[in-house]
Amino acid sequence: MKPLTVQEGELLATTGRGRRRGWSKLRPFVPLYILFLPVLAYYLIFSYAPMAGLIIAFKNYNFLDGIFGSQWVGWQHFERFLQNGDFWVVFKNTILLAFYRLLFGFPAPILFALLVYEMRFRKVKRLIQTISYLPHFLSWVVVYAIAYNFLSDVGIINSIISAFGGERIPFLGDPSYFRSIFVGSSVWKEIGWSAIIYLAALTRIDTDLYEAASIDGASRWHRLWYVTIPGIQTIVSIMLLLALGNILSVSFEQVVVMMNPMVSPVAEVIDYYVYRVGLLGANNFSYATAVGLFRSIIAVMIVLIANWLAKKLDEDGGLW
């Protein structure tokens, strides 16, 4: 065996000490890594392994040949979707509903949290918070039943209009009212639940800042504008990024429940289109997968752009 030189011996000794030092740093966290293994296995099995099925978006999938044995067709399904007349209809419906939900649904819980936070009476504050959480636990079927009781031809609102001599309005069957009802019911259902995280962020603001602002003569509006809002600015930007990540995932359950043949021209979104062509129609799984993958790619691009803008505006504002 060839004897080691002085430099090689020093190198081996340095490497050995580096490994022992790395292991000594890692060893206290070994129980935590072991606890994390079930979580890692869950996401690998149920979140990442199914992504292998996306390959059928580039194939003509049939059951007998299986996922890997089906014929490759390249970008054929994507080109078919983009050249299909349904593309612009469902894409426009998805973008408009997502935009309205973001425009009205995102700031609503922030404003609600600020109003609740400014309340003086603690019992009233807790009562309002508790009541605002309740709609979150209702299914969309129940929410639509409530909307039906108010907005149908025999509902409360039309009964009042009729009592004053007016004509009944088909709110649930008129496409011009669908987006307003869709967004309004979504905001009503989630405003209290979504406000929880902002209320939690508000409680973390240092109260000394409010006292210092009061000593300097700041009014209540000034304290809100210069202390409260900057205090939750980071969490707002993070929640906005998370909302943008799901911007094209318009609530499928809500669409299924609230859509009817009269409002379908403005109600059918990409998620429902995937369900219709993939399961209700000719079981065209490859085409439906291509449409779903197209939507996911657009959503990822939106998140990347939004994260870049958030980092430009605030160093702590991005997700990564």
Side-chain angles (χ1 to χ4, degrees):
M1 183 177 177
K2 183 181 176 181
L4 297 176
T5 63
V6 176
Q7 291 79 5
E8 289 174 339
E10 291 177 350
L11 179 61
L12 285 175
T14 304
T15 306
R17 285 196 297 271
R19 288 177 179 173
R20 286 193 296 273
R21 193 179 302 115
W23 171 246
S24 63
K25 290 182 179 178
L26 179 64
R27 187 166 49 188
F29 301 100
V30 168
L32 296 178
Y33 284 115
I34 294 175
L35 287 174
F36 181 70
L37 285 179
V39 180
L40 179 63
Y42 172 85
Y43 280 101
L44 288 176
I45 294 172
F46 296 105
S47 297
Y48 288 95
M51 290 177 69
L54 291 175
I55 196 174
I56 68 173
F58 305 94
K59 292 188 168 190
N60 266 336
Y61 172 75
N62 65 76
F63 182 76
L64 295 178
D65 294 331
I67 293 177
F68 298 103
S70 300
Q71 179 189 4
W72 288 95
V73 294
W75 300 96
Q76 178 181 316
H77 297 302
F78 294 91
E79 293 173 355
R80 176 186 166 192
F81 176 57
L82 295 176
Q83 295 170 359
N84 194 325
D86 293 336
F87 167 72
W88 289 112
V89 176
V90 297
F91 191 72
K92 176 186 172 186
N93 292 340
T94 305
I95 291 294
L96 284 177
L97 287 177
F99 174 74
Y100 289 141
R101 285 185 62 170
L102 189 66
L103 181 64
F104 298 102
F106 182 75
I110 300 174
L111 296 174
F112 179 76
L114 292 173
L115 291 173
V116 172
Y117 182 71
E118 292 292 330
M119 284 186 175
R120 298 292 185 188
F121 303 102
R122 184 167 296 180
K123 289 185 179 179
V124 176
K125 185 177 179 179
R126 289 180 178 175
L127 178 64
I128 291 176
Q129 281 184 259
T130 304
I131 293 174
S132 66
Y133 299 158
L134 296 179
H136 171 76
F137 299 99
L138 300 177
S139 70
W140 278 113
V141 176
V142 176
V143 173
Y144 184 73
I146 295 172
Y148 185 85
N149 285 327
F150 277 90
L151 301 173
S152 67
D153 288 343
V154 293
I156 296 173
I157 294 179
N158 270 320
S159 298
I160 295 173
I161 293 174
S162 179
F164 285 94
E167 295 185 359
R168 294 179 181 271
I169 302 173
F171 293 106
L172 300 178
D174 191 335
S176 61
Y177 292 105
F178 175 79
R179 291 186 180 121
S180 301
I181 297 172
F182 186 90
V183 176
S185 59
S186 177
V187 171
W188 172 78
K189 187 173 184 294
E190 299 297 338
I191 186 171
W193 187 258
S194 301
I196 292 176
I197 192 166
Y198 300 111
L199 287 168
L202 288 168
T203 58
R204 293 177 59 86
I205 298 176
D206 191 352
T207 54
D208 292 341
L209 296 175
Y210 290 106
E211 294 177 3
S214 299
I215 293 172
D216 290 340
S219 64
R220 200 166 182 177
W221 170 256
H222 287 132
R223 293 199 298 272
L224 173 68
W225 187 255
Y226 293 106
V227 178
T228 305
I229 293 179
I232 61 172
Q233 182 178 346
T234 301
I235 193 67
V236 169
S237 62
I238 292 174
M239 294 304 295
L240 179 60
L241 286 175
L242 293 176
L244 288 173
N246 294 320
I247 188 171
L248 297 182
S249 300
V250 179
S251 177
F252 174 76
E253 184 183 357
Q254 185 183 5
V255 171
V256 171
V257 170
M258 301 185 72
M259 192 170 72
N260 58 62
M262 290 176 286
V263 298
S264 61
V266 298
E268 187 172 20
V269 295
I270 292 179
D271 282 346
Y272 186 83
Y273 181 74
V274 170
Y275 169 70
R276 180 167 66 84
V277 300
L279 296 177
L280 294 182
N283 293 335
N284 196 344
F285 299 115
S286 293
Y287 180 63
T289 304
V291 176
L293 182 58
F294 172 82
R295 187 211 63 181
S296 300
I297 292 172
I298 297 295
V300 169
M301 292 173 63
I302 292 173
V303 171
L304 291 176
I305 294 172
N307 188 73
W308 178 77
L309 289 174
K311 295 290 288 184
K312 287 288 182 184
L313 297 174
D314 182 7
E315 290 185 359
D316 299 326
L319 286 176
W320 61 86

Coordinates of all heavy atoms in Angstrom, one line a residue, residues 116 119 121-130:
V116 N -63.1 44.9 13.0 CA -63.2 44.1 14.2 C -62.1 44.5 15.2 O -62.4 44.6 16.4 CB -63.2 42.6 13.9 CG1 -63.1 41.7 15.2 CG2 -64.4 42.2 13.1
M119 N -62.8 47.6 17.2 CA -63.9 47.6 18.2 C -63.5 47.7 19.6 O -62.5 47.1 20.0 CB -64.8 46.3 18.0 CG -65.7 46.4 16.7 SD -66.7 44.9 16.6 CE -67.7 45.4 15.2
F121 N -65.7 47.1 22.4 CA -66.4 46.2 23.3 C -66.0 44.8 23.0 O -66.3 44.3 21.9 CB -67.9 46.4 23.2 CG -68.3 47.8 23.6 CD1 -68.7 48.7 22.6 CD2 -68.3 48.2 24.9 CE1 -69.1 50.0 22.9 CE2 -68.7 49.5 25.2 CZ -69.1 50.4 24.2
R122 N -65.3 44.1 23.9 CA -64.7 42.8 23.6 C -65.8 41.7 23.4 O -65.7 40.9 22.5 CB -63.8 42.4 24.8 CG -63.1 41.1 24.6 CD -62.0 40.8 25.6 NE -61.0 41.8 25.4 CZ -59.9 41.9 26.2 NH1 -59.7 41.0 27.2 NH2 -59.0 42.8 26.0
K123 N -66.9 41.8 24.2 CA -68.0 40.8 24.0 C -68.6 40.9 22.6 O -68.9 39.9 22.0 CB -69.0 40.9 25.1 CG -68.5 40.5 26.5 CD -69.6 40.5 27.5 CE -69.0 40.1 28.9 NZ -70.1 40.1 29.9
V124 N -68.9 42.1 22.2 CA -69.5 42.3 20.9 C -68.5 41.9 19.8 O -68.9 41.3 18.8 CB -69.9 43.8 20.7 CG1 -70.4 44.1 19.3 CG2 -70.9 44.2 21.7
K125 N -67.3 42.2 20.0 CA -66.2 41.8 19.1 C -66.2 40.3 18.9 O -66.1 39.8 17.8 CB -64.9 42.3 19.6 CG -63.7 42.1 18.7 CD -62.5 42.8 19.4 CE -61.2 42.6 18.6 NZ -60.1 43.3 19.3
R126 N -66.2 39.5 20.0 CA -66.2 38.1 19.9 C -67.4 37.5 19.3 O -67.4 36.5 18.5 CB -65.9 37.5 21.3 CG -64.5 37.7 21.8 CD -64.4 37.1 23.2 NE -63.0 37.3 23.7 CZ -62.6 37.0 24.9 NH1 -63.5 36.5 25.8 NH2 -61.4 37.2 25.3
L127 N -68.6 38.1 19.6 CA -69.8 37.7 19.0 C -69.8 37.8 17.5 O -70.2 36.9 16.8 CB -71.0 38.5 19.6 CG -72.4 38.1 19.1 CD1 -72.7 36.7 19.4 CD2 -73.4 39.1 19.7
I128 N -69.4 39.0 17.0 CA -69.3 39.2 15.6 C -68.3 38.3 14.9 O -68.6 37.7 13.8 CB -68.9 40.7 15.3 CG1 -70.0 41.6 15.7 CG2 -68.6 40.9 13.8 CD1 -69.7 43.1 15.6
Q129 N -67.2 38.0 15.6 CA -66.2 37.1 15.0 C -66.8 35.7 14.9 O -66.7 35.0 13.8 CB -65.0 37.0 15.9 CG -64.0 38.2 15.7 CD -62.8 38.0 16.5 OE1 -62.6 38.6 17.6 NE2 -61.9 37.1 16.0
T130 N -67.5 35.2 15.9 CA -68.1 33.9 15.9 C -69.2 33.8 14.8 O -69.2 32.8 14.1 CB -68.7 33.6 17.3 OG1 -67.7 33.7 18.3 CG2 -69.2 32.2 17.3

